[in-house]
mmCIF file of all heavy atoms in Angstrom:
data_model
loop_
_atom_site.group_PDB
_atom_site.id
_atom_site.type_symbol
_atom_site.label_atom_id
_atom_site.label_comp_id
_atom_site.label_asym_id
_atom_site.label_seq_id
_atom_site.Cartn_x
_atom_site.Cartn_y
_atom_site.Cartn_z
ATOM 1 N N SER A 1 -33.241 -31.875 -14.004
ATOM 2 C CA SER A 1 -32.772 -32.411 -15.267
ATOM 3 C C SER A 1 -32.247 -31.313 -16.176
ATOM 4 O O SER A 1 -31.251 -31.493 -16.836
ATOM 5 C CB SER A 1 -33.847 -33.244 -15.970
ATOM 6 O OG SER A 1 -35.098 -32.653 -15.862
ATOM 7 N N THR A 2 -32.871 -30.135 -16.195
ATOM 8 C CA THR A 2 -32.365 -29.043 -17.014
ATOM 9 C C THR A 2 -31.046 -28.534 -16.458
ATOM 10 O O THR A 2 -30.078 -28.390 -17.178
ATOM 11 C CB THR A 2 -33.389 -27.879 -17.044
ATOM 12 O OG1 THR A 2 -34.636 -28.408 -17.449
ATOM 13 C CG2 THR A 2 -32.945 -26.793 -18.004
ATOM 14 N N THR A 3 -31.000 -28.300 -15.156
ATOM 15 C CA THR A 3 -29.798 -27.769 -14.531
ATOM 16 C C THR A 3 -28.638 -28.752 -14.636
ATOM 17 O O THR A 3 -27.537 -28.366 -14.965
ATOM 18 C CB THR A 3 -30.067 -27.458 -13.037
ATOM 19 O OG1 THR A 3 -31.212 -26.624 -12.960
ATOM 20 C CG2 THR A 3 -28.884 -26.766 -12.407
ATOM 21 N N VAL A 4 -28.896 -30.030 -14.389
ATOM 22 C CA VAL A 4 -27.827 -31.022 -14.391
ATOM 23 C C VAL A 4 -27.282 -31.246 -15.790
ATOM 24 O O VAL A 4 -26.093 -31.287 -15.979
ATOM 25 C CB VAL A 4 -28.333 -32.359 -13.785
ATOM 26 C CG1 VAL A 4 -27.314 -33.450 -14.001
ATOM 27 C CG2 VAL A 4 -28.618 -32.180 -12.330
ATOM 28 N N SER A 5 -28.145 -31.338 -16.809
ATOM 29 C CA SER A 5 -27.643 -31.672 -18.132
ATOM 30 C C SER A 5 -26.783 -30.565 -18.724
ATOM 31 O O SER A 5 -25.785 -30.836 -19.327
ATOM 32 C CB SER A 5 -28.787 -32.032 -19.084
ATOM 33 O OG SER A 5 -29.650 -30.931 -19.226
ATOM 34 N N THR A 6 -27.144 -29.308 -18.537
ATOM 35 C CA THR A 6 -26.357 -28.233 -19.111
ATOM 36 C C THR A 6 -24.970 -28.125 -18.484
ATOM 37 O O THR A 6 -23.991 -28.202 -19.188
ATOM 38 C CB THR A 6 -27.110 -26.881 -18.994
ATOM 39 O OG1 THR A 6 -28.386 -27.071 -19.591
ATOM 40 C CG2 THR A 6 -26.361 -25.766 -19.696
ATOM 41 N N PRO A 7 -24.826 -27.993 -17.138
ATOM 42 C CA PRO A 7 -23.474 -27.865 -16.600
ATOM 43 C C PRO A 7 -22.602 -29.087 -16.797
ATOM 44 O O PRO A 7 -21.434 -28.947 -17.037
ATOM 45 C CB PRO A 7 -23.677 -27.622 -15.104
ATOM 46 C CG PRO A 7 -25.077 -27.213 -14.959
ATOM 47 C CD PRO A 7 -25.810 -27.781 -16.127
ATOM 48 N N SER A 8 -23.173 -30.301 -16.726
ATOM 49 C CA SER A 8 -22.313 -31.469 -16.813
ATOM 50 C C SER A 8 -21.663 -31.570 -18.186
ATOM 51 O O SER A 8 -20.502 -31.891 -18.281
ATOM 52 C CB SER A 8 -23.070 -32.748 -16.462
ATOM 53 O OG SER A 8 -24.096 -32.974 -17.386
ATOM 54 N N SER A 9 -22.398 -31.251 -19.265
ATOM 55 C CA SER A 9 -21.763 -31.334 -20.572
ATOM 56 C C SER A 9 -20.751 -30.207 -20.752
ATOM 57 O O SER A 9 -19.699 -30.405 -21.296
ATOM 58 C CB SER A 9 -22.813 -31.314 -21.692
ATOM 59 O OG SER A 9 -23.560 -30.122 -21.624
ATOM 60 N N THR A 10 -21.067 -29.011 -20.260
ATOM 61 C CA THR A 10 -20.133 -27.900 -20.371
ATOM 62 C C THR A 10 -18.916 -28.127 -19.484
ATOM 63 O O THR A 10 -17.795 -27.980 -19.916
ATOM 64 C CB THR A 10 -20.818 -26.572 -19.942
ATOM 65 O OG1 THR A 10 -22.024 -26.449 -20.685
ATOM 66 C CG2 THR A 10 -19.924 -25.385 -20.192
ATOM 67 N N THR A 11 -19.168 -28.521 -18.226
ATOM 68 C CA THR A 11 -18.082 -28.708 -17.277
ATOM 69 C C THR A 11 -17.117 -29.789 -17.742
ATOM 70 O O THR A 11 -15.923 -29.607 -17.701
ATOM 71 C CB THR A 11 -18.632 -29.083 -15.889
ATOM 72 O OG1 THR A 11 -19.580 -28.093 -15.519
ATOM 73 C CG2 THR A 11 -17.527 -29.134 -14.870
ATOM 74 N N SER A 12 -17.640 -30.906 -18.229
ATOM 75 C CA SER A 12 -16.760 -31.996 -18.596
ATOM 76 C C SER A 12 -15.903 -31.655 -19.814
ATOM 77 O O SER A 12 -14.791 -32.099 -19.912
ATOM 78 C CB SER A 12 -17.550 -33.282 -18.843
ATOM 79 O OG SER A 12 -18.455 -33.080 -19.902
ATOM 80 N N SER A 13 -16.408 -30.825 -20.742
ATOM 81 C CA SER A 13 -15.610 -30.539 -21.918
ATOM 82 C C SER A 13 -14.726 -29.305 -21.749
ATOM 83 O O SER A 13 -13.731 -29.182 -22.403
ATOM 84 C CB SER A 13 -16.516 -30.383 -23.144
ATOM 85 O OG SER A 13 -17.437 -29.354 -22.921
ATOM 86 N N VAL A 14 -15.094 -28.362 -20.868
ATOM 87 C CA VAL A 14 -14.292 -27.152 -20.702
ATOM 88 C C VAL A 14 -13.932 -26.972 -19.241
ATOM 89 O O VAL A 14 -14.524 -26.182 -18.553
ATOM 90 C CB VAL A 14 -15.074 -25.910 -21.194
ATOM 91 C CG1 VAL A 14 -14.191 -24.683 -21.143
ATOM 92 C CG2 VAL A 14 -15.610 -26.104 -22.584
ATOM 93 N N SER A 15 -12.970 -27.737 -18.744
ATOM 94 C CA SER A 15 -12.553 -27.520 -17.371
ATOM 95 C C SER A 15 -11.060 -27.704 -17.128
ATOM 96 O O SER A 15 -10.677 -28.070 -16.056
ATOM 97 C CB SER A 15 -13.356 -28.408 -16.431
ATOM 98 O OG SER A 15 -13.107 -29.751 -16.723
ATOM 99 N N PRO A 16 -10.207 -27.475 -18.126
ATOM 100 C CA PRO A 16 -8.781 -27.530 -17.792
ATOM 101 C C PRO A 16 -8.400 -26.343 -16.913
ATOM 102 O O PRO A 16 -8.975 -25.275 -17.046
ATOM 103 C CB PRO A 16 -8.069 -27.426 -19.138
ATOM 104 C CG PRO A 16 -9.097 -27.367 -20.182
ATOM 105 C CD PRO A 16 -10.428 -27.282 -19.533
ATOM 106 N N PRO A 17 -7.438 -26.529 -16.007
ATOM 107 C CA PRO A 17 -7.074 -25.450 -15.090
ATOM 108 C C PRO A 17 -6.611 -24.185 -15.798
ATOM 109 O O PRO A 17 -6.881 -23.106 -15.359
ATOM 110 C CB PRO A 17 -5.929 -26.033 -14.265
ATOM 111 C CG PRO A 17 -6.001 -27.501 -14.463
ATOM 112 C CD PRO A 17 -6.728 -27.741 -15.736
ATOM 113 N N ILE A 18 -5.935 -24.297 -16.935
ATOM 114 C CA ILE A 18 -5.426 -23.115 -17.619
ATOM 115 C C ILE A 18 -6.581 -22.233 -18.088
ATOM 116 O O ILE A 18 -6.607 -21.051 -17.829
ATOM 117 C CB ILE A 18 -4.530 -23.512 -18.815
ATOM 118 C CG1 ILE A 18 -3.301 -24.269 -18.306
ATOM 119 C CG2 ILE A 18 -4.118 -22.295 -19.627
ATOM 120 C CD1 ILE A 18 -2.506 -24.949 -19.385
ATOM 121 N N SER A 19 -7.586 -22.821 -18.753
ATOM 122 C CA SER A 19 -8.670 -21.998 -19.258
ATOM 123 C C SER A 19 -9.516 -21.428 -18.128
ATOM 124 O O SER A 19 -10.061 -20.354 -18.256
ATOM 125 C CB SER A 19 -9.531 -22.784 -20.244
ATOM 126 O OG SER A 19 -10.151 -23.857 -19.589
ATOM 127 N N THR A 20 -9.644 -22.127 -17.019
ATOM 128 C CA THR A 20 -10.423 -21.620 -15.896
ATOM 129 C C THR A 20 -9.727 -20.422 -15.266
ATOM 130 O O THR A 20 -10.358 -19.423 -14.968
ATOM 131 C CB THR A 20 -10.602 -22.724 -14.825
ATOM 132 O OG1 THR A 20 -11.166 -23.860 -15.454
ATOM 133 C CG2 THR A 20 -11.503 -22.259 -13.712
ATOM 134 N N THR A 21 -8.416 -20.465 -15.111
ATOM 135 C CA THR A 21 -7.681 -19.399 -14.443
ATOM 136 C C THR A 21 -7.539 -18.168 -15.344
ATOM 137 O O THR A 21 -7.830 -17.068 -14.938
ATOM 138 C CB THR A 21 -6.265 -19.883 -14.055
ATOM 139 O OG1 THR A 21 -6.407 -21.105 -13.349
ATOM 140 C CG2 THR A 21 -5.560 -18.868 -13.189
ATOM 141 N N THR A 22 -7.148 -18.338 -16.590
ATOM 142 C CA THR A 22 -6.848 -17.219 -17.462
ATOM 143 C C THR A 22 -8.077 -16.372 -17.818
ATOM 144 O O THR A 22 -8.064 -15.187 -17.597
ATOM 145 C CB THR A 22 -6.151 -17.708 -18.758
ATOM 146 O OG1 THR A 22 -5.071 -18.538 -18.366
ATOM 147 C CG2 THR A 22 -5.665 -16.544 -19.585
ATOM 148 N N PRO A 23 -9.188 -16.942 -18.326
ATOM 149 C CA PRO A 23 -10.259 -16.061 -18.787
ATOM 150 C C PRO A 23 -11.129 -15.460 -17.697
ATOM 151 O O PRO A 23 -11.916 -14.604 -17.983
ATOM 152 C CB PRO A 23 -11.098 -16.937 -19.694
ATOM 153 C CG PRO A 23 -10.782 -18.316 -19.328
ATOM 154 C CD PRO A 23 -9.422 -18.296 -18.678
ATOM 155 N N THR A 24 -11.011 -15.899 -16.459
ATOM 156 C CA THR A 24 -11.901 -15.382 -15.431
ATOM 157 C C THR A 24 -11.870 -13.859 -15.340
ATOM 158 O O THR A 24 -12.899 -13.227 -15.437
ATOM 159 C CB THR A 24 -11.602 -16.045 -14.073
ATOM 160 O OG1 THR A 24 -11.716 -17.452 -14.228
ATOM 161 C CG2 THR A 24 -12.561 -15.570 -13.007
ATOM 162 N N PRO A 25 -10.685 -13.183 -15.231
ATOM 163 C CA PRO A 25 -10.703 -11.717 -15.178
ATOM 164 C C PRO A 25 -11.195 -11.106 -16.482
ATOM 165 O O PRO A 25 -11.973 -10.184 -16.474
ATOM 166 C CB PRO A 25 -9.242 -11.330 -14.934
ATOM 167 C CG PRO A 25 -8.559 -12.572 -14.505
ATOM 168 C CD PRO A 25 -9.359 -13.716 -15.011
ATOM 169 N N THR A 26 -10.766 -11.647 -17.617
ATOM 170 C CA THR A 26 -11.173 -11.107 -18.908
ATOM 171 C C THR A 26 -12.676 -11.202 -19.085
ATOM 172 O O THR A 26 -13.335 -10.255 -19.454
ATOM 173 C CB THR A 26 -10.472 -11.879 -20.057
ATOM 174 O OG1 THR A 26 -9.091 -11.957 -19.754
ATOM 175 C CG2 THR A 26 -10.691 -11.210 -21.378
ATOM 176 N N THR A 27 -13.246 -12.401 -18.767
ATOM 177 C CA THR A 27 -14.675 -12.601 -18.909
ATOM 178 C C THR A 27 -15.435 -11.637 -18.009
ATOM 179 O O THR A 27 -16.406 -11.031 -18.427
ATOM 180 C CB THR A 27 -15.051 -14.059 -18.550
ATOM 181 O OG1 THR A 27 -14.252 -14.926 -19.335
ATOM 182 C CG2 THR A 27 -16.512 -14.323 -18.824
ATOM 183 N N GLY A 28 -14.978 -11.430 -16.795
ATOM 184 C CA GLY A 28 -15.665 -10.527 -15.873
ATOM 185 C C GLY A 28 -15.672 -9.106 -16.401
ATOM 186 O O GLY A 28 -16.688 -8.436 -16.398
ATOM 187 N N GLU A 29 -14.540 -8.598 -16.909
ATOM 188 C CA GLU A 29 -14.481 -7.241 -17.432
ATOM 189 C C GLU A 29 -15.331 -7.110 -18.681
ATOM 190 O O GLU A 29 -16.107 -6.172 -18.816
ATOM 191 C CB GLU A 29 -13.033 -6.856 -17.761
ATOM 192 C CG GLU A 29 -12.157 -6.714 -16.523
ATOM 193 C CD GLU A 29 -10.697 -6.550 -16.869
ATOM 194 O OE1 GLU A 29 -10.345 -6.601 -18.070
ATOM 195 O OE2 GLU A 29 -9.907 -6.394 -15.943
ATOM 196 N N THR A 30 -15.226 -8.084 -19.571
ATOM 197 C CA THR A 30 -15.983 -8.018 -20.807
ATOM 198 C C THR A 30 -17.475 -8.045 -20.530
ATOM 199 O O THR A 30 -18.216 -7.238 -21.064
ATOM 200 C CB THR A 30 -15.605 -9.199 -21.733
ATOM 201 O OG1 THR A 30 -14.193 -9.207 -21.867
ATOM 202 C CG2 THR A 30 -16.268 -9.080 -23.072
ATOM 203 N N THR A 31 -17.905 -8.930 -19.656
ATOM 204 C CA THR A 31 -19.320 -9.067 -19.372
ATOM 205 C C THR A 31 -19.879 -7.790 -18.750
ATOM 206 O O THR A 31 -20.939 -7.338 -19.119
ATOM 207 C CB THR A 31 -19.567 -10.249 -18.408
ATOM 208 O OG1 THR A 31 -18.978 -11.398 -18.966
ATOM 209 C CG2 THR A 31 -21.041 -10.482 -18.206
ATOM 210 N N ARG A 32 -19.156 -7.167 -17.846
ATOM 211 C CA ARG A 32 -19.685 -5.997 -17.142
ATOM 212 C C ARG A 32 -19.585 -4.728 -17.966
ATOM 213 O O ARG A 32 -20.434 -3.880 -17.909
ATOM 214 C CB ARG A 32 -18.932 -5.804 -15.825
ATOM 215 C CG ARG A 32 -19.275 -6.864 -14.825
ATOM 216 C CD ARG A 32 -18.590 -6.619 -13.523
ATOM 217 N NE ARG A 32 -18.870 -7.736 -12.627
ATOM 218 C CZ ARG A 32 -18.244 -7.958 -11.516
ATOM 219 N NH1 ARG A 32 -17.290 -7.156 -11.110
ATOM 220 N NH2 ARG A 32 -18.557 -8.992 -10.765
ATOM 221 N N GLU A 33 -18.495 -4.552 -18.726
ATOM 222 C CA GLU A 33 -18.289 -3.261 -19.355
ATOM 223 C C GLU A 33 -18.733 -3.178 -20.804
ATOM 224 O O GLU A 33 -19.114 -2.117 -21.235
ATOM 225 C CB GLU A 33 -16.807 -2.878 -19.235
ATOM 226 C CG GLU A 33 -16.427 -2.727 -17.775
ATOM 227 C CD GLU A 33 -15.102 -2.056 -17.592
ATOM 228 O OE1 GLU A 33 -14.776 -1.152 -18.350
ATOM 229 O OE2 GLU A 33 -14.393 -2.466 -16.664
ATOM 230 N N THR A 34 -18.723 -4.274 -21.549
ATOM 231 C CA THR A 34 -19.087 -4.180 -22.946
ATOM 232 C C THR A 34 -20.561 -3.822 -23.147
ATOM 233 O O THR A 34 -20.846 -2.871 -23.825
ATOM 234 C CB THR A 34 -18.729 -5.480 -23.701
ATOM 235 O OG1 THR A 34 -17.349 -5.724 -23.513
ATOM 236 C CG2 THR A 34 -19.046 -5.380 -25.170
ATOM 237 N N PRO A 35 -21.513 -4.552 -22.533
ATOM 238 C CA PRO A 35 -22.907 -4.245 -22.855
ATOM 239 C C PRO A 35 -23.390 -2.902 -22.310
ATOM 240 O O PRO A 35 -24.069 -2.178 -22.982
ATOM 241 C CB PRO A 35 -23.694 -5.376 -22.237
ATOM 242 C CG PRO A 35 -22.733 -6.294 -21.594
ATOM 243 C CD PRO A 35 -21.383 -5.688 -21.693
ATOM 244 N N SER A 36 -23.052 -2.513 -21.079
ATOM 245 C CA SER A 36 -23.675 -1.326 -20.512
ATOM 246 C C SER A 36 -22.708 -0.170 -20.307
ATOM 247 O O SER A 36 -23.064 0.972 -20.508
ATOM 248 C CB SER A 36 -24.353 -1.689 -19.185
ATOM 249 O OG SER A 36 -23.398 -2.258 -18.317
#
């Protein structure tokens, strides 16, 4: 119930192909390099 409720609300509201394709490299670089 915890796992299902969180992704389904996020997935259904944020899943257009443009946003999925564009931020993937940016998010990966930001996540890995900004904090450490």
